[in-house]
Amino acid sequence: MDDSPHDTVPDGPFVRFQGTVRNARGAFPGIFVLVNGLAGEGKLTAEQERFRRLTNDWYDAAYPNPAHVDPSVYDRELHPTAVAWFKGSARHLIGRVDGYLRILTAHGIDWERLTSADPGRVIYEDAVQVVVVPPHAAADAATRPNG
């Protein structure tokens, strides 16, 4: 886990913040999914929930939701390991993740900050983000039973 949640300035073309444990589909869930999961389980403090609601609303207004633009992007049959990455140029979006990182740290959920020039096969792109199928996904699917 990164010990400095305030070090969110991008140093690569693409930036992602995610948990360090794979979910049931084999993907590493992003920080928004993790914090929203804590909220759904009723684990956030009143202050953390206030932050989550206000900041989620800000993000919803600030950039497109890929699933609203193309519902197939996160289709669990087509792209079970699809994940979103910020473009490094989306500093206004990246700069607001600190609060999510603090919430995860407070709840003992390990996270990591990744940068990459080539995070995977792009299945969606807009001005501030890409959604990709990570390069390992095809190999992982081939080695799973029924894969």
Side-chain angles (χ1 to χ4, degrees):
M1 176 172 62
D2 187 330
D3 291 325
S4 57
H6 302 284
D7 182 22
T8 56
V9 177
D11 60 9
F14 299 100
V15 181
R16 178 169 168 77
F17 299 87
Q18 65 183 23
T20 60
V21 177
R22 289 184 191 271
N23 63 20
R25 294 186 320 276
F28 292 96
I31 61 168
F32 302 118
V33 168
L34 292 170
V35 170
N36 289 336
L38 289 170
E41 295 170 3
K43 293 183 177 180
L44 298 182
T45 66
E47 180 181 332
Q48 290 170 338
E49 177 60 12
R50 199 167 28 259
F51 165 84
R52 183 192 73 85
R53 290 178 61 117
L54 288 172
T55 311
N56 279 4
D57 288 347
W58 182 88
Y59 274 109
D60 288 345
Y63 72 104
N65 179 330
H68 294 165
V69 176
D70 178 358
S72 73
V73 168
Y74 291 117
D75 182 294
R76 291 184 177 185
E77 293 295 317
L78 293 174
H79 312 290
T81 59
V83 294
W85 289 67
F86 288 116
K87 290 183 176 179
S89 59
R91 292 175 182 271
H92 64 293
L93 300 175
I94 297 166
R96 291 199 174 215
V97 303
D98 288 353
Y100 293 90
L101 302 177
R102 283 193 291 274
I103 290 170
L104 294 176
T105 299
H107 288 270
I109 297 175
D110 291 341
W111 56 270
E112 60 189 354
R113 175 186 177 273
L114 305 174
T115 60
S116 177
D118 183 13
R121 181 174 54 89
V122 175
I123 57 173
Y124 171 86
E125 182 172 6
D126 61 38
V128 295
Q129 66 186 325
V130 294
V131 177
V132 304
V133 174
H136 71 277
D140 287 353
T143 61
R144 282 194 304 264
N146 303 321

